[in-house]
Amino acid sequence: HFVYNDETVYFPIGENVCWSSKQNGTYGYDHYFTKLSENAANYARLWLSWNGLAVEIANFKISLPNTWRLDYVVQLAEKLGIKLLMCTESFNCFNSVSKMSGFWNKDCYYNKKFGGIIEKPEDFFTDEGAKTDYKM
């Protein structure tokens, strides 16, 4: 179970929202979070990756538009009493199978071909530089 520092119990009720469509941008979160709040939900899980909420993008650069979107979504959740679990990476970045939605060969910022530091996806788990960068 989850407990706050003051010993108050927190029981998360919500869902894996993940992302909003590119067309809807932050308006999607306005809709999702309002509906969650209206139905007594207090929790949502978000992916901070390719979906417009990734703070870090190609070649480890910071995206100011995505940072603004993330700030907006966090403030909205706070206003509506929704706690967030933020997933900082997606398996899609390391997926090199062309039939699937992976983007290792398209623009994964860990891929050496795009300015990253590793040659192949599995190196993410063993390369000291990749492990250090991920922890930063």
Side-chain angles (χ1 to χ4, degrees), residues 30 59 61-63 66-67 69-70 77 105 121-122 126 133:
D30 291 326
N59 299 321
K61 293 181 180 149
I62 301 298
S63 167
N66 287 0
T67 303
R69 287 183 199 93
L70 181 58
N105 292 316
E122 54 270 26
T126 57
D133 285 347

Side-chain angles (χ1 to χ4, degrees), residues 87-101:
C87 300
T88 58
E89 194 55 79
S90 166
F91 62 89
N92 288 303
C93 183
F94 305 103
N95 182 355
S96 59
V97 178
S98 61
K99 293 179 191 171
M100 299 178 74
S101 64

Side-chain angles (χ1 to χ4, degrees), residues 38-103:
E38 288 171 352
N39 288 282
N42 61 7
Y43 162 85
R45 178 180 177 226
L46 298 176
W47 286 13
L48 307 184
S49 55
W50 55 270
N51 59 7
L53 295 180
V55 173
E56 242 183 2
I57 56 170
N59 299 321
F60 300 96
K61 293 181 180 149
I62 301 298
S63 167
L64 292 180
N66 287 0
T67 303
W68 180 91
R69 287 183 199 93
L70 181 58
D71 283 346
Y72 177 85
V73 169
V74 168
Q75 289 172 13
L76 175 66
E78 186 174 39
K79 181 176 105 177
L80 296 172
I82 296 171
K83 305 293 184 203
L84 298 173
L85 171 63
M86 298 184 200
C87 300
T88 58
E89 194 55 79
S90 166
F91 62 89
N92 288 303
C93 183
F94 305 103
N95 182 355
S96 59
V97 178
S98 61
K99 293 179 191 171
M100 299 178 74
S101 64
F103 55 91

Side-chain angles (χ1 to χ4, degrees), residues 11-28:
F11 188 83
I13 300 169
E15 60 187 35
N16 187 21
V17 173
C18 288
W19 58 82
S20 177
S21 70
K22 295 233 185 227
Q23 307 88 286
N24 291 336
T26 56
Y27 295 116

